[in-house]
């Protein structure tokens, strides 16, 4: 027992280190890229960039530690509902694992949003460093203020206008920056920041973030758990999904964001004859035919954003990273049928040709994703990017999305899998294979001709490889043990 | 001709022994009813027979094949105590999918017939997630009985069913049994399954008694 507990602690520590390293390397990689560009342009010193990167890393490390020591950070709607229905007060519920999980998710959301805003700032060619940092800080500040209000108000009727305001502000900032204009509706705020020290511009959002985190903890009792539990609000789910300190959490929440509820009546009906002749393909298309309007809107918006990102901004590490992330999310939406197959072992497994059918699912999911991503990439960058690179990037993104879907078991079944070794070798080995291939695919995406000459990938590609294999190593306890006959992990 | 053989089968979860050594032979076209308290190991035995769980020691054979292998799976149909459906497919689409995977239109015909027997044929275009517990169970039974199999493994098949539905289910099972299908069912209502030549396997805290004949009508 002691050995098992020690191994559990070791795994916990390893996981914490993994999360920490993941964000630290990601942050440093992206900021390093930024620093390199500006150092060449002699507009900012590497030292200043390093300081900014270090601050980001510290924040992320703290967030990761707080999250991991609080609880496993995997809030699921079922858990939240359990907390709500349990015979104890809301405050007591929140003090337990589920409540802490939700709170930690909110904290992580704030930090993740901050890091994302800073590292994904568009190119600021021609502007001074003060302006650049001011815009980043301003954008981050607007987002955080919106988030703080979101937490404090905690009412559905207030949330939409606040989020709309935040998005509008960010869009206006981005528009100003893209035009290179220094006069804008936000001139006053920007100038106030610009005239301060650049360090203040960087530290300001972090201070604001700290206030938000404190408020989140102080007001934890009033976080609208029902919204999260019922999954009826995209903003809530997106907030939790943004947490990003647990790959599987991200996968699951991303899935649940897009998966419910389905239309009872499909947009398009496919005949039974076709469905029986091509069961896997038609099963996927029938699922898509039940997408609700908001899911289509989300899908098309994401596609448009990717297209715009690729079209407007040069192919830097940041652009590639963001586009890859968005493509991955997009692909995961398309791969929902494959993910559903892996949720329950008694779906496919009990069929005689389960492995064949699973591979068909992989092929169908990959193909649908690839075709769409190729279309988006082709429409946006075909005039300045080699065709081979476009195909390669679309293929890599489709592969990443497919593998992500294949390893995204629903948590409750993942837990059953761990306890009873319910997955059989021929199904489980495919999942294992896919999880091992995952890092290689990510690394390959970073090394394609389109991107390989860009700065920052020198850091990003090895990071992806190392961290990807670390993911596999950490996951081995949950997957490899399944295939040991006679041994039941507990 | 499909028999089931348990040879010194055990199952342990860490320090907890869920199934103590079991050695038994289930003849072809048998009707076995497994009864026992919650947590006594009934479902575990059934899942080991289906191949969903591996024995800690011993072997389970379905026909000549070890449980869980493709040859064994070809013979077995398993009804879980918590049926799972695809959230984005209607019942009719579930049936089409199953028929497509088995490349056998007869699967679809059988499933639709069973849905009709349960008076659910008017709801086949609905999503199962919108069904009540009993309707979901009936749908799951339809899918389990429709697929080609010579062994039916049923985990609490009457769970959530109304009286008429339970009667219909048992009559469907008896029809399959009359055509030579082996039936193994876990239940807390053994009297419903008391058919001629039925055997009852009682289990208490993981220890299985010798099977005894039930008093069928």
């Amino acid at each position: 027992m002691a050995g098992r507990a020690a191994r559990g602690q070791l795994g916990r520590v390893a996981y914490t280190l993994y999360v920490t390293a993941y964000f630290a390397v990601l942050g440093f990689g992206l900021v390093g890229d930024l620093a390199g560009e500006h150092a060449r342009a002699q507009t900012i010193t590497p030292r200043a960039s390093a300081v900014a990167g270090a601050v980001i890393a510290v924040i992320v490390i703290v967030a990761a530690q707080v999250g991991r020591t609080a609880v496993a950070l995997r809030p699921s709607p079922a858990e939240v509902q359990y907390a709500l229905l349990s015979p104890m007060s809301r405050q007591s519920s929140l003090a337990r694992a589920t409540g802490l999980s939700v709170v930690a998710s909110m904290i992580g959301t704030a930090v993740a949003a901050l890091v994302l805003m800073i590292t994904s700032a568009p190119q600021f060619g021609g502007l001074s460093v003060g302006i650049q940092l001011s815009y980043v800080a301003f954008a981050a500040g607007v987002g955080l203020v919106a988030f703080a209000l979101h937490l404090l108000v905690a009412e559905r009727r207030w949330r939409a206008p606040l989020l709309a305001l935040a998005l509008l502000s960010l869009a206006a900032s981005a528009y100003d920056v893209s035009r290179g204009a220094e006069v804008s509706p936000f001139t006053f705020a920007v100038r106030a920041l610009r005239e301060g020290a650049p360090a203040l511009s960087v530290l300001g959002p972090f201070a604001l973030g700290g206030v938000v985190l404190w408020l989140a903890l102080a007001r934890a009792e009033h976080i609208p758990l029902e919204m999260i539990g019922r999954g009826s609000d995209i903003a809530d789910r997106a907030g939790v999904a943004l947490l990003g300190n647990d790959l599987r959490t991200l996968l699951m929440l991303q899935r649940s964001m897009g998966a419910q509820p389905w239309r009872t009546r499909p947009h398009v009906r496919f005949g039974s004859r076709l469905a029986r002749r091509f069961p896997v393909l038609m099963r996927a298309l029938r699922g898509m035919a039940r997408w609700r309007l908001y899911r289509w809107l989300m899908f098309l918006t994401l596609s448009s954003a990717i297209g715009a990102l690729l079209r407007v901004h040069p192919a830097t590490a940041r652009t590639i990273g963001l586009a890859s992330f968005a493509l991955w999310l997009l692909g995961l939406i398309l791969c929902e049928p494959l993910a559903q197959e892996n949720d329950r072992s008694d779906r496919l497994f009990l069929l005689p040709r389960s492995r064949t059918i699973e591979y068909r699912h992989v092929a169908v999911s990959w193909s649908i994703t690839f075709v769409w991503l190729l279309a988006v990439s082709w429409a946006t960058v075909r005039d300045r990017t080699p065709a081979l690179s476009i195909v390669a990037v679309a293929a890599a993104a489709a592969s990443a999305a497919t593998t992500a879907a294949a390893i995204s078991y629903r948590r409750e079944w993942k837990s059953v899998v761990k306890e009873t070794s319910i997955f059989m070798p021929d199904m489980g080995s495919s999942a294992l294979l896919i999880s091992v291939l995952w890092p290689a695919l990510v690394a390959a995406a970073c090394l394609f001709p389109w991107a390989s000459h860009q700065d920052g990938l020198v850091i990003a590609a090895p990071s992806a490889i190392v961290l990807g294999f670390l993911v596999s190593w950490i996951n081995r306890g949950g997957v490899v043990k399944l295939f040991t006959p006679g041994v039941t992990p507990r | 001709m499909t028999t089931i053989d348990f040879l010194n089968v055990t199952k342990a979860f860490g320090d907890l022994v869920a199934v103590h050594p079991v050695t038994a032979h289930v003849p072809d076209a048998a009707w076995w009813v497994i009864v026992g308290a919650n947590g006594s190991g009934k479902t575990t035995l059934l899942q080991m027979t289906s191949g969903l769980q591996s024995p800690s020691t011993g072997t389970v054979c379905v026909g000549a094949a070890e449980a869980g292998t493709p040859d064994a799976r070809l013979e077995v149909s398993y009804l879980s105590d918590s049926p799972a459906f695809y959230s984005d497919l209607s019942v009719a689409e579930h049936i089409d999918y199953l028929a497509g995977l088995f490349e056998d239109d007869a699967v679809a015909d059988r499933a639709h017939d069973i849905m009709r027997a349960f008076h659910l044929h008017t709801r086949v275009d609905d999503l199962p997630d919108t069904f009540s517990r009993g309707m979901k169970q009936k749908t799951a039974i339809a899918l389990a009985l429709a697929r080609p199999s010579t062994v039916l493994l049923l985990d609490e098949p009457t769970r959530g069913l109304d009286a008429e539905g339970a009667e219909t289910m048992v009559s469907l099972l008896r029809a399959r049994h009359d055509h030579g299908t082996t039936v193994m069912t876990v239940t807390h209502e053994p009297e419903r399954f008391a058919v001629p030549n039925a055997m009852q396997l009682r289990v208490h805290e993981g220890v299985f008694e010798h099977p005894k004949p039930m008093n069928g009508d």
Side-chain angles (χ1 to χ4, degrees):
Chain A
M1 291 294 287
R4 190 180 299 151
R7 283 197 298 276
Q9 287 300 319
L10 187 64
R12 197 181 174 88
V13 170
Y15 196 88
T16 304
L17 289 174
Y18 151 67
V19 172
T20 305
Y22 181 84
F23 279 98
V25 173
L26 187 67
F28 275 121
L30 294 173
V31 172
D33 177 56
L34 186 67
E37 289 176 14
H38 294 306
R40 278 194 305 280
Q42 295 182 337
T43 56
I44 191 171
T45 64
R47 182 180 166 190
S49 293
V51 169
V55 171
I56 292 172
V58 167
I59 292 286
V60 170
I61 288 168
V62 169
Q65 295 287 359
V66 167
R68 292 309 301 173
T69 49
V71 76
L73 276 184
R74 290 171 181 169
S76 70
E79 276 185 329
V80 177
Q81 282 175 346
Y82 173 78
L84 287 170
L85 296 173
S86 61
M88 59 181 72
S89 71
R90 170 73 71 81
Q91 194 152 12
S92 301
S93 299
L94 284 168
R96 294 167 70 88
T98 301
L100 286 172
S101 178
V102 174
V103 172
S105 300
M106 291 296 181
I107 294 171
T109 301
V111 176
L114 185 64
V115 173
L116 199 64
M117 285 174 189
I118 290 177
T119 56
S120 67
Q123 297 293 312
F124 297 103
L127 294 180
S128 67
V129 176
I131 290 280
Q132 294 174 33
L133 292 177
S134 298
Y135 272 112
V136 172
F138 183 68
V142 169
L144 285 170
V145 167
F147 184 75
L149 291 172
H150 162 75
L151 286 179
L152 291 172
V153 177
E155 289 287 340
R156 189 186 183 91
R157 62 179 179 274
W158 291 102
R159 190 175 308 145
L162 286 173
L163 284 176
L165 180 65
L167 290 173
L168 199 63
S169 303
L170 289 172
S173 295
Y175 178 70
D176 286 344
V177 171
S178 68
R179 290 177 58 217
E182 295 193 23
V183 178
S184 75
F186 307 98
T187 302
F188 179 77
V190 171
R191 184 162 296 161
L193 285 169
R194 186 184 60 185
E195 289 173 355
L200 186 63
S201 303
V202 175
L203 292 175
F206 292 126
L208 187 57
V211 173
V212 170
L213 302 190
W214 180 80
L215 289 172
L217 287 171
R219 303 283 295 180
E221 190 177 358
H222 302 292
I223 291 176
L225 292 180
E226 291 92 345
M227 292 294 178
I228 303 169
R230 290 174 189 157
S232 57
D233 190 295
I234 292 178
D236 277 330
R237 285 167 175 261
V240 181
L242 267 174
L243 171 64
N245 68 349
D246 184 289
L247 178 62
R248 199 174 297 279
T249 302
L250 195 65
L251 290 169
M252 291 312 308
L253 286 166
Q254 166 57 28
R255 280 185 58 192
S256 60
M257 274 171 62
Q260 295 175 338
W262 304 92
R263 281 175 59 90
T264 304
R265 303 283 171 248
H267 293 292
V268 183
R269 288 189 183 277
F270 298 98
S272 287
R273 179 178 292 182
L274 205 58
R276 292 177 197 173
R277 182 162 174 75
F278 305 104
V280 176
L281 173 64
M282 298 311 294
R283 182 258 173 279
L285 295 180
R286 279 178 155 175
M288 292 174 69
R290 281 207 162 76
W291 285 8
R292 284 195 178 273
L293 184 61
Y294 81 80
R295 199 167 194 232
W296 280 110
L297 282 175
M298 182 171 70
F299 183 80
L300 294 174
T301 304
L302 205 52
S303 300
S304 305
I306 294 168
L309 184 68
L310 295 176
R311 181 72 199 168
V312 174
H313 300 298
T316 64
R318 288 190 309 282
T319 308
I320 299 294
L322 277 178
S324 301
F325 180 69
L327 287 168
W328 173 65
L329 292 180
L330 196 61
L332 199 56
I333 295 172
L334 288 166
C335 294
E336 174 69 21
L338 170 65
Q340 280 198 45
E341 288 292 358
N342 285 327
D343 287 343
R344 283 279 296 255
S345 59
D346 56 355
R347 282 182 168 153
L348 274 188
F349 161 62
L350 285 173
L351 300 173
R353 296 174 293 116
S354 59
R355 181 180 275 188
T356 307
I357 297 166
E358 190 192 22
Y359 287 161
R360 279 190 208 166
H361 267 287
V362 170
V364 164
S365 298
W366 188 90
S367 302
I368 292 176
T369 310
F370 172 72
V371 166
W372 183 256
L373 299 184
L374 185 66
V376 171
S377 306
W378 194 265
T380 52
V381 293
R382 69 179 184 279
D383 55 341
R384 64 179 190 211
T385 304
L388 188 61
S389 291
I390 294 176
V391 172
V393 170
S399 303
T402 307
T403 52
I407 62 174
S408 66
Y409 310 120
R410 286 200 191 284
R411 189 194 165 209
E412 58 267 41
W413 290 103
K414 176 69 179 170
S415 146
V416 169
V417 165
K418 289 180 94 167
E419 289 176 7
T420 63
S421 69
I422 201 168
F423 259 86
M424 289 302 291
D426 65 341
M427 287 287 287
S429 58
S430 302
L432 178 65
L433 181 69
I434 286 170
S435 66
V436 170
L437 285 176
W438 164 263
L441 289 167
V442 173
C446 295
L447 295 170
F448 280 120
W450 181 30
S452 60
H453 68 283
Q454 299 294 333
D455 295 330
L457 287 166
V458 176
I459 299 171
S463 305
I465 294 171
V466 171
L467 293 172
F469 277 107
L470 194 53
V471 170
S472 302
W473 178 76
I474 289 163
N475 279 341
R476 85 196 194 290
V479 180
V480 176
K481 280 184 184 174
L482 303 178
F483 317 130
T484 309
V487 175
T488 306
R490 289 279 284 178
Chain B
M1 295 290 289
T2 307
T3 59
I4 304 171
D5 289 288
F6 300 92
L7 183 61
N8 201 27
V9 173
T10 66
K11 182 66 179 178
F13 298 99
D15 299 330
L16 173 70
V17 180
V19 175
H20 289 272
V22 180
T23 297
H25 171 75
V26 183
D28 182 44
W31 180 289
W32 278 34
V33 179
I34 306 173
V35 294
N38 297 127
S40 56
K42 307 182 298 295
T43 296
T44 304
L45 187 75
L46 213 59
Q47 292 202 339
M48 286 194 291
T49 312
S50 71
L52 284 171
Q53 292 194 47
S54 302
S56 299
T57 63
T59 54
V60 182
C61 287
V62 178
E66 191 168 346
T69 58
D71 285 345
R73 278 184 259 165
L74 202 57
E75 305 296 332
V76 170
S77 183
Y78 173 74
L79 174 70
S80 168
D81 61 342
S82 55
F85 300 99
Y86 301 106
S87 56
D88 54 346
L89 292 187
S90 69
V91 175
E93 289 166 348
H94 274 80
I95 292 171
D96 282 342
Y97 184 47
L98 195 66
L101 294 180
F102 278 96
E103 298 172 355
D104 183 359
D105 285 346
V107 171
D109 296 339
R110 280 197 294 272
H112 282 291
D113 287 345
I114 298 170
M115 291 299 284
R116 189 178 304 280
F118 281 128
H119 309 298
L120 282 179
H121 57 288
T122 57
R123 302 293 302 273
V124 293
D125 287 327
D126 291 340
L127 300 176
D129 281 353
T130 64
F131 285 0
S132 69
R133 176 74 180 83
M135 292 162 73
K136 283 181 183 174
Q137 184 72 2
K138 289 173 181 175
T139 305
I141 290 168
L143 295 174
L145 296 187
R147 60 167 284 182
S149 64
T150 57
V151 174
L152 284 173
L153 304 173
L154 311 166
D155 198 348
E156 299 190 36
T158 55
R159 195 179 192 183
L161 295 187
D162 51 42
E164 185 190 353
E167 287 301 321
T168 304
M169 193 275 299
V170 173
S171 66
L172 289 167
L173 278 186
R174 290 184 71 160
R176 286 289 299 272
H177 180 243
D178 290 344
H179 284 86
T181 299
T182 301
V183 176
M184 274 184 78
T185 181
V186 164
T187 184
H188 294 292
E189 300 177 283
E191 63 280 1
R192 281 199 185 279
F193 297 90
V195 303
N197 301 321
M199 302 291 284
Q200 180 170 288
L201 187 62
R202 188 168 288 279
V203 57
H204 178 67
E205 293 184 354
V207 179
F208 285 82
E209 299 175 357
H210 288 292
K212 295 174 182 170
M214 296 178 80
N215 294 319
D217 52 17

